Amino acid sequence: MKAKYFFNPFERVAGWQALLVGLVMMLLTASLALVSGLRFDGVLDAHFGEHVEWWRVFADQGINWLSLVVVFYPGALLFSRSHTRFIDIAGTMALARTPMLVAAIAGLPSRLSDFISQLPNANGTTLFSTPDFWVTVVLALLMVWGTIWSAILIYNAWRVSANVKGTRAGVVYGFGLLIAEIGSKILIANI
Amino acid sequence: MIPIKRFPVVCPACGSDLRVKSLVCDHCQTAIEGSFDIPVLCRLESDDQQFLVSYIKNNGSLKEMSRIMNLSYPSVRNRLDDIIARILKLENSTNHES
């Protein structure tokens, strides 16, 4: 597979096909998050927290995906000169959440959540000299990488689905992502 | 193998649009001289022309085009939108010149 498809699979996959794959990936991500106690409490958020009811973990995925769809579809209607199909925005945005599976896998080993839970009471020198420190750093970087990869995919999902280019694509993406992030955090906090 | 010559539409010296001065019948060698416009579709890149021919042959179905080209539907639609934009630009430049 060419490297460009790693960051932009939407040239090949969109619509119903992308939606189906994206939904399966979201279910997998939520299942792993349920095990590790990880919560995706925002479009680009992954935090360890208290264990909550199982349905909330699955609802996180749905809310994050729908927040992107309800922001970027009207964005396409307003700012694109092309005829944008709803199913393309819905499908590509679902597939764009796949990298969160990487974050969920990285969150599985209990070392990462244990390390983070120790941080508030930690003595710096002892905590950072433990053998687990570097493993924790690698796992944390993997989670960050999953989030950045997802942000890149969301941009390309928007660009390809709505046929927007240049500054217009970048500016609407920036504002859209911010609105989706705020909206998803508010919704998740209030369910 | 004889290389396929690209149909030139732009002057290689100054970049202006070219016009057709002469047409010849290959069968009887009759030659017609004048100053003829090159149709807009002929002024598109050969890739774009091939895309449009394929699109018409597939009854204007973007879904069928996406299957043949192994690309997603929006990618094919974007390609068509870009060609439409180029056609409009060419038509505008022709109108300005005339």
Side-chain angles (χ1 to χ4, degrees):
Chain A
M1 194 167 130
K2 288 180 187 171
K4 72 169 183 174
Y5 295 122
F6 194 71
F7 292 107
N8 188 11
F10 314 113
E11 281 187 21
R12 289 281 174 93
V13 186
W16 288 103
Q17 204 182 355
L19 181 63
L20 193 66
V21 176
L23 288 175
V24 170
M25 291 300 176
M26 279 191 271
L27 284 175
L28 268 174
T29 305
S31 305
L32 295 180
L34 199 61
V35 176
S36 62
L38 192 65
R39 280 205 75 186
F40 293 93
D41 52 349
V43 167
L44 290 176
D45 289 86
H47 297 114
F48 287 104
E50 80 283 18
H51 282 268
V52 292
E53 299 98 314
W54 66 270
W55 63 267
R56 286 182 189 274
V57 177
F58 283 87
D60 290 348
Q61 296 297 321
I63 289 170
N64 289 332
W65 165 56
L66 287 173
S67 299
L68 289 168
V69 175
V70 298
V71 168
F72 282 102
Y73 183 63
L77 295 179
L78 284 171
F79 297 102
S80 170
R81 295 187 184 98
S82 284
H83 171 71
T84 305
R85 297 189 311 174
F86 179 78
I87 186 61
D88 286 327
I89 292 279
T92 55
M93 288 299 169
L95 191 58
R97 299 211 40 86
T98 298
M100 289 305 186
L101 185 62
V102 176
I105 292 168
L108 269 183
S110 58
R111 282 170 172 178
L112 190 55
S113 53
D114 291 349
F115 188 87
I116 290 167
S117 65
Q118 286 171 41
L119 278 177
N121 315 311
N123 171 339
T125 45
T126 53
L127 189 65
F128 295 111
S129 60
T130 58
D132 278 355
F133 175 68
W134 289 109
V135 178
T136 308
V137 167
V138 170
L139 292 173
L141 285 176
L142 263 177
M143 289 181 74
V144 172
W145 165 240
T147 311
I148 293 170
W149 183 15
S150 182
I152 295 169
L153 287 184
I154 292 167
Y155 174 71
N156 284 323
W158 151 247
R159 199 174 54 79
V160 172
S161 298
N163 194 20
V164 281
K165 298 181 178 80
T167 313
R168 181 195 296 248
V171 171
V172 177
Y173 165 76
F175 278 108
L177 195 60
L178 189 67
I179 294 166
E181 171 72 17
I182 294 168
S184 61
K185 285 198 88 70
I186 292 170
L187 279 171
I188 288 169
N190 288 290
I191 54 167
Chain B
M1 189 179 159
I2 302 165
I4 299 166
K5 288 183 184 173
R6 285 184 60 198
F7 184 70
V9 291
V10 172
C11 171
C14 73
S16 299
D17 289 343
L18 291 173
R19 296 174 66 79
V20 176
K21 188 182 175 190
S22 161
L23 295 158
V24 179
C25 171
D26 244 2
H27 183 64
C28 70
Q29 302 305 311
T30 299
I32 304 164
E33 289 214 354
S35 180
F36 306 102
D37 285 333
I38 296 173
V40 170
L41 291 179
C42 293
R43 288 163 63 191
L44 292 170
E45 293 287 328
S46 58
D47 282 356
D48 291 346
Q49 290 178 23
Q50 280 169 14
F51 177 90
L52 289 178
V53 168
S54 184
Y55 179 62
I56 292 164
K57 282 162 75 176
N58 284 290
N59 299 309
S61 166
L62 288 174
K63 276 185 186 163
E64 189 59 19
M65 288 294 287
S66 92
R67 192 188 62 76
I68 292 168
M69 296 174 77
N70 196 21
L71 291 173
S72 67
Y73 179 95
S75 294
V76 176
R77 189 210 54 220
N78 295 350
R79 176 89 191 269
L80 182 64
D81 286 341
D82 292 345
I83 294 173
I84 292 168
R86 279 196 278 279
I87 288 172
L88 292 173
K89 199 175 164 189
L90 285 169
E91 282 181 343
N92 280 341
S93 67
T94 308
N95 290 340
H96 280 297
E97 280 170 18
S98 61

